[in-house]
Amino acid sequence: MKLFWKLFCSMVLITTLACDVGGYVLIDTQFRASLEREVSALYEENDLLRYALAQELAFHPLYSRRELAAAAKGISISTSRGTVAFRLSGETGETLGGSGQLPVEAGPLTASLPQGRRGWVMDALSDGRVYLHAASPLVLEDGILYLENCREVSGLFQDRSEQYRSFFTLVLVLTGAVGALSLAVAAMLLRPLGRLSAATRRMAEGELDQRVAVRGDDEIALLSADFNVMSHRIQRQVQELRDAARRQEDFIGSFAHEIKTPLTSMIGYADLLRSRPATEEQVRQSAGYIFSEGRRLEALSRKLLDLVVLDRQDFPLRPVPLDVFLGRVAGAMAPALEQAGVRLTVRAQPVPALMEPDLMETVCLNLLDNARKAMEGGGDLLLEGLSEEGRPVIRVTDSGKGIPAEELERVTEAFYMVDKSRSRAQGGAGLGLALCRRIVDLHGGTLELESTPGQGTRVTVRLKGGKT
């Protein structure tokens, strides 16, 4: 059974039960009070009769029981109900005299009275009438007489029956009214729970930004507040999981992207060793590049993992001379640029720059590789290392296709590619410049792009200076 119907039935049942019990107790209490008043009136009438008989005895003290019973016929007591009928009976229940006709028998009551005590019983006749029957003893010299009188109380029982019928009708009407009111109250009380249920279902469908209004300070309001806290935490945790998954995807994409440049250099130098005669110096130089690129690839994979997946921000920076650093970068890219017909020129000053060499080499290799891709038929590429306004600067200038002005602001966004078909054909994923900007930001530097379509692109990286 739904909570709505449980609440509705409980309210109706409790209200009906309370009204029934309260009404029964009220009617029964009123009936008993009326009955006690009738008993008191019955005893008062009996006392008046006893007083009248006592007066008769005072005038004629020598009356016997039978003479007193005969004389009692002349005694008359009147009340608001009329003349009170009474009866004098003996100890064995026989009727000795009286005034008027009592509708009840004498024997059962007089036989059950304690000696010297009065009492009463209720007698119900076959025709439905009900009487209160009282008797009190009169002690004479020659025995005991019992003075009996009765009082009809049928009206009390009829009134009680009428009250029960009226109350039953009232309870039916009241139950209907309470039922209608309970429906409205239950609907109002459970409306917040309905909103909670609907919000929970939407959260189960993936809408994690669900919140419910908190009204009041009752238990349902507290539950709504707890739901909002839970929803906020779940949304935050899911977002953290999504961010972690995105970082992992970025790492995979970045690693796949960055691994190609050192592999290209390694394959290029290995191909030189395999395909053409070389002097001992060339062999040593080529093997050195292959070894250094292999070591860099190993370190790069670990640092990319820290940077992209673990979101590390505390890489140690050390001063590195730009001429030495850029010379190593140019040597790593030489085979790939030579195969593409690109003429590389390096102009570098011994300016110290604070950097993490492996990560900054990734930036430079990405910039040179992007320039190579932009010059499909070959061209001139300039790699510079200099000082401007007291800051070390790395600048890459190519004579390639250039970047349209409307695309220039977006090329550093992850997965964004100006020429998607060309980039995919050359193995690009749109992560190179995004990773470059992130690494440059990590160094506290800036990355600036200038480009003219059809003439070429210039990328400037400004770093912090340092003493060697």
Side-chain angles (χ1 to χ4, degrees):
M1 181 183 292
K2 290 187 176 181
L3 180 60
F4 175 85
W5 293 113
K6 289 181 180 179
L7 185 60
F8 168 76
C9 293
S10 298
M11 294 173 67
V12 173
L13 181 61
I14 292 173
T15 304
T16 303
L17 184 61
C19 290
D20 286 346
V21 173
Y24 173 79
V25 171
L26 180 63
I27 294 174
D28 186 69
T29 301
Q30 183 180 2
F31 171 77
R32 290 181 181 276
S34 300
L35 185 62
E36 288 176 0
R37 286 195 296 271
E38 292 293 332
V39 171
S40 297
L42 179 68
Y43 276 143
E44 289 175 0
E45 292 175 356
N46 191 275
D47 289 339
L48 289 174
L49 291 171
R50 286 173 61 86
Y51 177 77
L53 290 174
Q55 291 294 325
E56 189 68 22
L57 289 174
F59 294 134
H60 304 283
L62 299 179
Y63 278 163
S64 64
R65 291 192 306 165
R66 293 190 177 276
E67 290 174 336
L68 179 60
K73 294 181 179 180
I75 297 175
S76 177
I77 301 295
S78 297
T79 65
S80 59
R81 290 191 176 187
T83 302
V84 178
F86 67 94
R87 177 173 59 204
L88 292 174
S89 58
E91 297 177 65
T92 59
E94 74 277 14
T95 301
L96 300 178
S99 175
Q101 182 70 29
L102 293 183
V104 295
E105 297 180 0
L109 175 59
T110 56
S112 63
L113 287 177
Q115 186 175 5
R117 302 290 298 275
R118 67 179 181 179
W120 68 274
V121 295
M122 185 182 297
D123 292 327
L125 304 184
S126 58
D127 59 1
R129 289 180 296 167
V130 180
Y131 288 90
L132 296 179
H133 178 198
S136 60
L138 294 173
V139 181
L140 302 176
E141 293 181 355
D142 60 347
I144 297 176
L145 289 179
Y146 287 97
L147 175 61
E148 301 177 61
N149 65 308
C150 63
R151 189 176 180 89
E152 186 176 2
V153 291
S154 302
L156 289 180
F157 289 90
Q158 292 175 358
D159 290 343
R160 187 176 67 171
S161 298
E162 287 294 331
Q163 289 174 348
Y164 278 139
R165 282 193 293 270
S166 299
F167 179 71
F168 179 73
T169 302
L170 179 62
V171 167
L172 289 180
V173 175
L174 183 62
T175 301
V178 169
L181 183 61
S182 299
L183 284 173
V185 172
M188 181 184 66
L189 292 178
L190 297 180
R191 190 176 296 115
L193 292 180
R195 289 195 293 267
L196 276 174
S197 179
T200 303
R201 287 194 299 270
R202 288 194 293 270
M203 284 190 65
E205 294 171 357
E207 300 179 23
L208 301 181
D209 58 344
Q210 296 300 310
R211 303 292 187 274
V212 294
V214 179
R215 298 185 178 93
D217 56 356
D218 57 8
E219 287 79 1
I220 296 180
L222 293 177
L223 178 61
S224 300
D226 292 340
F227 172 85
N228 289 339
V229 173
M230 178 196 69
S231 176
H232 173 72
R233 290 179 178 175
I234 290 176
Q235 185 179 15
R236 184 180 62 188
Q237 291 171 359
V238 169
Q239 186 60 44
E240 290 174 355
L241 291 174
R242 288 174 178 171
D243 291 342
R246 179 185 53 78
R247 289 194 297 269
Q248 292 174 358
E249 291 175 359
D250 288 351
F251 168 73
I252 293 173
S254 298
F255 184 73
H257 181 275
E258 298 308 321
I259 199 175
K260 289 185 295 185
T261 301
L263 284 179
T264 300
S265 298
M266 295 166 67
I267 292 171
Y269 280 108
D271 186 57
L272 286 175
L273 293 175
R274 185 193 65 171
S275 61
R276 67 182 68 175
T279 64
E280 182 178 349
E281 177 62 23
Q282 290 175 331
V283 171
R284 187 186 63 79
Q285 185 181 20
S286 298
Y289 273 116
I290 292 174
F291 176 77
S292 63
E293 287 299 296
R295 292 295 300 272
R296 192 180 76 83
L297 183 60
E298 178 186 17
L300 180 62
S301 63
R302 184 176 61 255
K303 291 172 183 178
L304 282 175
L305 178 66
D306 290 341
L307 176 65
V308 178
V309 177
L310 304 180
D311 204 20
R312 183 177 171 185
Q313 302 289 333
D314 58 346
F315 290 99
L317 306 181
R318 58 187 177 89
V320 178
L322 287 183
D323 55 346
V324 177
F325 173 72
L326 294 181
R328 186 171 66 248
V329 171
M333 281 296 297
L337 295 176
E338 184 179 348
Q339 290 179 3
V342 176
R343 294 176 296 277
L344 175 63
T345 302
V346 180
R347 297 174 185 170
Q349 302 172 2
V351 178
L354 283 176
M355 66 175 70
E356 203 296 316
D358 289 329
L359 292 178
M360 189 53 62
E361 188 170 342
T362 295
V363 173
C364 294
L365 292 176
N366 262 297
L367 298 179
L368 293 174
D369 192 52
N370 287 341
R372 176 185 64 82
K373 294 175 182 177
M375 297 182 290
E376 295 179 355
D380 295 318
L381 181 59
L382 176 62
L383 176 60
E384 297 177 280
L386 60 152
S387 175
E388 290 184 354
E389 298 179 357
R391 296 185 64 180
V393 173
I394 299 173
R395 181 174 290 130
V396 177
T397 307
D398 66 62
S399 59
K401 298 172 60 174
I403 304 172
E406 63 273 11
E407 307 284 349
L408 199 59
E409 294 295 327
R410 302 190 59 191
V411 292
T412 56
E413 296 178 7
F415 304 105
Y416 186 81
M417 294 175 284
V418 177
D419 189 342
K420 296 180 175 56
S421 60
R422 179 173 63 85
S423 297
R424 292 195 180 98
Q426 295 176 342
L431 285 169
L433 284 177
L435 184 62
C436 288
R437 180 176 289 280
R438 187 167 181 180
I439 294 174
V440 171
D441 290 342
L442 184 68
H443 284 74
T446 60
L447 188 147
E448 304 167 2
L449 286 93
E450 304 172 63
S451 185
T452 302
Q455 296 183 16
T457 302
R458 173 182 292 178
V459 183
T460 302
V461 177
R462 302 184 187 276
L463 301 173
K464 294 181 179 179
K467 295 182 180 179
T468 56

